[in-house]
Amino acid sequence: ESMNFLLPLHRSPLNIGWHAGGTLSDLKLHKLFKEFSKQDKDILEDLFVRGAQIYHELPYHDNVISVVFDSPYSYVDAFEVHRTKYSLYKIGRAMFETDWIPPKWEYLINEYLDELWVPSVFAKEVFRSAGIHIPITV
């Protein structure tokens, strides 16, 4: 599913990178990576290399937009422990396939993000009704 976010971001005129932890070799060994087309593999590799350069070379990431594709529990690590806490704008991508979200998610999302991306209108309604007050994009 992340491919649906990453591939359009690659076409953006902005300097966008993908930092997923691990190494490029780890990415290439992942079982799903082997199923992608050569073009998609090249895009993922490019985003990964650019993400590593952005993450490691910019001193405070104050001109970087960070997008975290993980559970809201990872936002503390992403935005407090790592250098991405200085990001200009922080986006999280989350989903929970029920009509409620874990109670702590409300705090984590509202506290650490500027915007939340969700996969459906249903998810948007669930997150909004749970008290998420930042912009939510489907």
Side-chain angles (χ1 to χ4, degrees), residues 106-135:
E106 176 190 358
Y107 166 77
L108 294 169
I109 291 167
N110 287 325
E111 178 70 18
Y112 288 101
L113 301 180
D114 297 303
E115 184 173 335
L116 178 66
W117 291 353
V118 296
S120 67
V121 172
F122 172 76
K124 180 177 182 175
E125 292 170 359
V126 169
F127 279 85
R128 185 66 71 214
S129 68
I132 304 306
H133 61 74
I134 61 171

Side-chain angles (χ1 to χ4, degrees), residues 2-48:
S2 295
M3 289 298 293
N4 293 326
F5 293 105
L6 290 171
L7 294 177
L9 288 174
H10 184 260
R11 294 187 288 271
S12 168
L14 301 172
N15 183 21
I16 293 178
W18 171 42
H19 180 72
T23 65
L24 187 56
S25 296
D26 294 334
L27 172 67
K28 290 180 178 182
L29 290 173
H30 194 281
K31 63 182 178 181
L32 291 177
F33 186 81
K34 296 174 182 177
E35 298 177 12
F36 295 132
S37 70
K38 168 132 177 48
Q39 179 182 2
D40 288 350
K41 287 179 185 178
D42 290 345
I43 289 170
L44 284 175
E45 287 181 36
D46 179 57
L47 284 169
F48 192 90

